[in-house]
């Protein structure tokens, strides 16, 4: 059975002291929550202390990005090996902010996905349409092409290391959420697209998270949809109480 997952993307927020406080609050608030796998993605410089602080807690640590090369002259970048060495076994790739502000293309993401999988690092792969795509009724095409271009080259066996995060760009950080029906419609489309390209087992077992202004007051309804397997949470993951409430909504 596919996993339920609630992941918090902290983006460029929380210095080391704030990270320590938030993690200790989270550990207290999430004790006993076993219905979902919980993941947090602090900024690079705090990944090591986060992975140390969370040892034994069951909460996993993810990186927000990773370079595609093994090592070398890539100033300012972080490799898969560096992540693994500090106990980080999950990476978020393809976030819309990386695509929009850092020029990450589908072709680059293919390289990043390949490197992560080669190192046994699980990928939370983000994709989703812009507002114009939805208004022009092109959202299914956009999502299908992001999936095909970024992921459909991998073997069926590698899908166990992929988590999908459907994040309509118009809902990220805007306070505007896809309705539970819109989320379900797209998640069902994603699953059927994967089934056509691979098989029913791959489609049935991949966790598909929804991301875009999930808050404690809308999480229950969104997570209740059959093809929504949890959430990727931005703003609301920066507060222990709201993130824990969302995790409990599973
Ligand atoms: C995100 O950036 O992945 C996200 C879902 O952000 P927010 O929850 O703030 O919309």
């Amino acid at each position: 059975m596919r996993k339920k997952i609630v992941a918090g993307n902290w983006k460029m927020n929380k210095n080391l002291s704030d990270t320590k406080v938030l993690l200790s609050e989270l550990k207290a608030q999430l004790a006993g929550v076993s219905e979902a796998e919980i993941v947090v993605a602090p900024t690079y410089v705090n990944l090591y202390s986060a992975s140390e602080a969370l040892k034994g807690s069951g909460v996993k640590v993810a990186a927000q990005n990773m370079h595609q090369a093994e090592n070398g002259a890539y100033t300012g970048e972080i490799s898969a090996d560096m992540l693994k060495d500090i106990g980080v076994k999950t990476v978020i790739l393809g976030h819309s902010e990386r695509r929009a502000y850092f020029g990450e293309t589908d072709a680059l993401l293919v390289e990043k996905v390949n490197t992560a999988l080669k190192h046994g690092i699980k990928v939370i792969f983000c994709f989703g349409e812009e507002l114009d795509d939805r208004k022009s009724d092109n959202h299914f095409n956009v999502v299908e092409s992001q999936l095909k271009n970024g992921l459909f080259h991998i073997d069926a066996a590698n899908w166990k290391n992929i988590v999908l995060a459907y994040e309509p760009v118009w809902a990220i950080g805007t306070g505007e959420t896809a309705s539970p029906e819109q989320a379900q419609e797209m998640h069902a489309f994603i699953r059927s697209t994967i089934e056509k390209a691979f098989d029913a087992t791959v489609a049935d077992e991949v966790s598909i998270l929804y991301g875009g202004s999930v808050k404690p007051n809308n999480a229950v309804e969104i997570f209740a949809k059959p093809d929504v397997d949890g959430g990727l949470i931005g703003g609301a993951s920066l507060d222990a109480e709201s993130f824990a409430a969302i995790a409990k909504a599973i």
Side-chain angles (χ1 to χ4, degrees):
M1 215 175 77
R2 58 183 179 259
K3 263 188 202 155
K4 303 274 185 195
I5 301 169
V6 176
N9 175 11
W10 294 8
K11 309 189 183 185
M12 197 173 73
N13 294 296
K14 304 287 176 191
N15 63 20
L16 180 58
S17 327
D18 299 336
T19 296
K20 286 180 176 165
V21 172
L22 180 51
L23 290 178
S24 88
E25 289 173 353
L26 273 179
K27 279 204 286 187
Q29 300 233 12
L30 290 169
V33 175
S34 56
E35 293 76 12
E37 181 176 297
I38 310 295
V39 181
V40 292
T43 183
Y44 275 140
V45 288
N46 295 327
L47 283 176
Y48 179 64
S49 51
S51 86
E52 290 290 299
L54 291 171
K55 262 185 191 157
S57 71
V59 178
K60 301 206 161 122
V61 179
Q64 298 173 19
N65 181 32
M66 188 200 82
H67 197 269
Q68 64 276 17
E70 293 296 328
N71 59 274
Y74 300 102
T75 301
E77 291 293 336
I78 310 287
S79 72
D81 175 61
M82 291 168 187
L83 294 178
K84 268 200 325 193
D85 193 45
I86 57 166
V88 175
K89 299 191 194 90
T90 305
V91 65
I92 298 172
L93 293 178
H95 192 278
S96 62
E97 287 150 17
R98 299 288 324 165
R99 293 178 192 254
Y101 307 146
F102 302 95
E104 294 202 358
T105 60
D106 290 344
L108 177 69
L109 289 169
V110 164
E111 290 186 55
K112 291 192 176 202
V113 165
N114 290 346
T115 303
L117 294 177
K118 180 177 157 202
H119 284 268
I121 294 181
K122 189 177 247 184
V123 174
I124 300 178
F125 186 84
C126 305
F127 55 98
E129 81 281 1
E130 311 251 355
L131 187 56
D132 283 351
D133 302 320
R134 188 160 275 267
K135 280 187 176 159
S136 57
D137 214 19
N138 201 30
H139 46 300
F140 293 112
N141 290 336
V142 169
V143 161
E144 187 174 8
S145 95
Q146 285 174 324
L147 274 175
K148 276 189 178 158
N149 295 342
L151 282 182
F152 280 11
H153 64 285
I154 67 175
D155 293 339
N158 267 322
W159 276 84
K160 64 180 186 308
N161 283 320
I162 300 288
V163 171
L164 299 176
Y166 166 60
E167 299 205 299
V169 179
W170 49 271
I172 295 182
T174 58
E176 190 169 340
T177 327
S179 67
E181 293 68 33
Q182 284 173 320
Q184 169 57 26
E185 182 186 38
M186 184 57 89
H187 283 222
F189 170 78
I190 293 163
R191 217 178 284 291
S192 78
T193 303
I194 294 168
E195 180 170 350
K196 275 184 219 140
F198 292 88
D199 57 46
T201 308
V202 169
D204 201 40
E205 286 183 358
V206 66
S207 300
I208 310 177
L209 314 185
Y210 168 79
S213 297
V214 176
K215 308 284 178 211
N217 63 0
N218 58 25
V220 171
E221 271 193 282
I222 295 172
F223 293 167
K225 293 296 178 191
D227 285 294
V228 177
D229 306 310
L232 180 56
I233 319 299
S237 71
L238 298 173
D239 174 76
E241 210 172 305
S242 64
F243 187 61
I246 292 169
K248 287 174 190 165
I250 280 278

